[in-house]
Amino acid sequence: MTTIGYRQLWAADPGGWRAAGTAWAGLTVPVEGRVGELAGAAGRLRGGWSGAAATAADVRLAGLRGELTSVTPALIEVDQVLAELAGRLTVAKARLAEAVALADAAGLLVDRAGGVRADPSRVRPSERAGVAAAGVAAALRDALDRAGTADRAAADRLDELSRAAASGWASPPPPGRPASDAPPAVVRAWWSGLTPAQRRWLVGHEPALVGRLDGVPVAARDQANRLRLDAWREELLAERRRLLGRVPPGPAASVRLHGLAARLAGLDALSGRLAAGDPRAYLLGLDPTGEGRVVVALGDPDHADRVLTYVPGMTAGLDDAPGELDRAARVLGRCAALAPGERSAAVLWLDYDAPDFLPEAASARQAHDAGPALHRFQEGLRASHEGPPARQTVLGHSYGSLVVGVAAREHGLAADALVFVGSPGVGAPHAAELGLPPGQVWASRAVDDVIRLAQPVDELAGRALLGVSPLAAVLGRAGHELWFGTDPADHAFGGRVFPSGRGGHAGYWDPGNPALDGMARIVLGR
């Protein structure tokens, strides 16, 4: 059993472990380059050499490529293990610092070995001092135990990886696959029944299956989806080549080329965030077609105490995924500042076709289409989570709030709290219809958010017939009906309201806006 001492934890450097993991993941680039070189060499040999020896050489080169390819998921896994260790050590160190601060406030001293005693210059020995010392000692033990558990878990996973490498990553294909519509809990049970070698085989040979299955652990989905990044990029490049091959390209093709360039830029920026960054990013889904869809977690939701799922709104797509991910990161950063002794994770869920223009956004169709997928994703987070259940919060902004509301009302969401910011209505007249206690349904709207103007069409038409300016009427009204139902930031909705400063429709994440702290406190359950 690994025991972590007081001085050892105090001196531990989580950032060093995170950097080491990033370096391991970076080895995938030269490995993939070598695989490409071998493929090119094999092609050249086949072009000018035939016979038994040529066939044998081709088989050998294919075998070498296979051996190199099998290493890539393991390099990604090492990065995951060390990132997980860094995150858990960060929490343990925060708890250690809290224990030392508690000791100082109580007039106690903590020696270099972690022993606790009264400071004779500040307090006299007493029963109260003894109780305080016992509390500090318990807090210190909790921090050290957390660090020891993290160290053992990382060592065990790295040992298992080492044994797998020694065996040549050998494993026969696992039997059976879950049905495409299998519930996430069934998927989780199937995955749990596989051996580590079988799971690695699936990641390496069937990444498209593993990467999309809700209920499969986040780490495995991330490994599988990272293996497909180059193929997804090539899809976009091939589409661009097809469009450029048209002479002349024409207006429609020009528009599509512009969209392709934006998606490629978004994918490249996202790839850069996946390659490095703190907290580590986990790629849980990506589809480059259409406007592009993506699901990315910051931190590992399977091991977090608090998990936020953020659903963006109108115009969101692969092109601006990095910006939407930054919004999730800002909430996560406030969670870390407010509760450094707890582990939080944030997910950008953009697995739906968000409206691009106002006529589309005036319809709830795309929200209804997204409902089953969001329901399934949240069920998957519950199924794959390790340890005591995490507090799950789902946040929707703008049209994304309608997506969240419709999913909660029509399908149910595995969530402990719902949050709506800048909402045009959530498809429900009252918080009680969303499947959660109204006290866990929250909303905020800035006073200068133009979403206030999203009134029901019959109300706007009626004002026009009366010769009343809709804009003037809205700015002075006290009603609570919006385009998609009761304003969730109105007390008539029956939920809870938290404040926001000015910032318009997109300012809820601005530094210093009370809405940012409000979202973080809801995620933390405070």
Side-chain angles (χ1 to χ4, degrees):
M1 173 181 281
T2 304
T3 301
I4 302 295
Y6 175 82
R7 282 185 292 178
Q8 196 176 5
L9 178 56
W10 198 262
D13 177 20
W17 289 112
R18 181 70 192 96
T22 300
W24 276 92
L27 293 175
T28 60
V29 176
V31 166
E32 290 166 359
R34 189 59 176 160
V35 169
E37 291 172 7
L38 289 172
R44 290 190 296 272
L45 285 174
R46 282 192 296 270
W49 189 19
S50 62
T55 301
D58 192 53
V59 170
R60 178 56 181 150
L61 286 172
L64 288 173
R65 292 198 306 273
E67 290 175 20
L68 283 173
T69 300
S70 68
V71 172
T72 301
L75 296 174
I76 299 171
E77 189 170 352
V78 171
D79 177 32
Q80 291 174 336
V81 171
L82 297 183
E84 174 72 12
L85 174 62
R88 296 174 75 171
L89 285 178
T90 297
V91 169
K93 285 175 68 69
R95 297 215 169 199
L96 189 72
E98 289 173 357
V100 171
L102 181 64
D104 183 65
L108 303 172
L109 296 173
V110 180
D111 61 34
R112 297 183 66 186
V116 183
R117 58 185 174 83
D119 182 350
S121 67
R122 297 177 58 191
V123 298
R124 299 174 60 184
S126 66
E127 182 177 347
R128 177 176 296 179
V131 171
V136 170
L140 289 171
R141 282 196 302 272
D142 174 69
L144 297 176
D145 287 346
R146 286 173 176 268
T149 299
D151 186 74
R152 288 191 297 275
D156 289 346
R157 288 184 65 186
L158 292 175
D159 284 345
E160 201 279 321
L161 267 174
S162 179
R163 290 192 297 271
S167 69
W169 313 104
S171 172
R177 304 290 185 274
S180 59
D181 59 348
V186 172
V187 172
R188 175 60 172 171
W190 163 75
W191 187 263
S192 298
L194 302 174
T195 66
Q198 289 173 327
R199 295 170 189 163
R200 290 196 182 93
W201 189 96
L202 283 166
V203 167
H205 292 82
E206 299 184 24
L209 170 71
V210 176
R212 65 174 173 78
L213 278 178
D214 293 314
V216 168
V218 163
R221 294 181 68 175
D222 175 60
Q223 293 168 29
N225 287 320
R226 284 173 183 254
L227 295 181
R228 303 184 66 202
L229 275 172
D230 287 344
W232 279 321
R233 191 173 193 279
E234 181 54 37
E235 283 184 34
L236 293 176
L237 291 173
E239 186 177 352
R240 186 173 69 176
R241 287 193 295 269
R242 287 193 298 270
L243 289 172
L244 289 173
R246 299 178 182 177
V247 182
S254 296
V255 171
R256 289 181 62 188
L257 281 168
H258 178 77
L260 274 171
R263 276 183 283 152
L264 275 166
L267 181 58
D268 288 343
L270 188 61
S271 297
R273 179 60 183 85
L274 290 169
D278 192 23
R280 188 187 189 279
Y282 293 76
L283 183 59
L284 305 185
L286 194 146
D287 181 356
T289 61
E291 298 298 320
R293 302 182 181 196
V294 65
V295 182
V296 182
L298 298 176
D300 184 354
D302 285 349
H303 296 94
D305 304 307
R306 309 284 186 266
V307 179
L308 168 69
T309 300
Y310 163 53
V311 183
M314 181 178 162
T315 74
L318 183 57
D319 56 342
D320 58 0
E324 297 291 0
L325 191 62
D326 182 60
R327 289 179 170 179
R330 291 186 185 190
V331 180
L332 193 59
R334 292 306 301 153
C335 287
L338 294 168
E342 296 183 19
R343 296 196 62 192
S344 299
V347 182
L348 166 63
W349 189 87
L350 181 47
D351 195 15
Y352 83 105
D353 179 22
D356 292 317
F357 304 102
L358 283 174
E360 285 184 307
S363 167
R365 180 185 61 80
Q366 282 150 290
H368 286 284
D369 290 346
L374 181 57
H375 162 80
R376 185 181 181 84
F377 179 75
Q378 286 299 121
E379 292 291 330
L381 288 181
R382 287 281 199 219
S384 63
H385 191 269
E386 300 283 349
R391 175 178 168 82
Q392 301 279 352
T393 300
V394 183
L395 162 68
H397 173 238
S398 191
Y399 193 89
S401 68
L402 179 64
V403 172
V404 174
V406 169
R409 187 183 189 191
E410 296 186 353
H411 308 281
L413 285 177
D416 300 289
L418 301 179
V419 185
F420 307 114
V421 293
S423 176
V426 300
H430 196 275
E433 296 194 17
L434 299 179
L436 272 70
Q440 290 300 328
V441 177
W442 298 79
S444 185
R445 189 193 67 237
V447 67
D448 58 345
D449 189 338
V450 296
I451 205 70
R452 301 165 63 224
L453 308 182
Q455 294 181 56
V457 65
D458 55 346
E459 186 173 349
L460 290 175
R463 286 178 177 155
L465 289 172
L466 294 173
V468 178
S469 164
L471 178 59
V474 169
L475 293 178
R477 77 187 182 94
H480 53 256
E481 285 301 310
L482 294 176
W483 193 267
F484 294 111
T486 307
D487 181 358
D490 191 291
H491 290 288
F493 186 69
R496 300 172 73 177
V497 178
F498 62 100
S500 173
R502 288 181 173 270
H505 192 54
Y508 298 96
W509 293 267
D510 289 348
N513 191 330
L516 181 58
D517 265 19
M519 289 184 278
R521 291 183 183 280
I522 295 166
V523 171
L524 295 169
R526 297 186 171 185

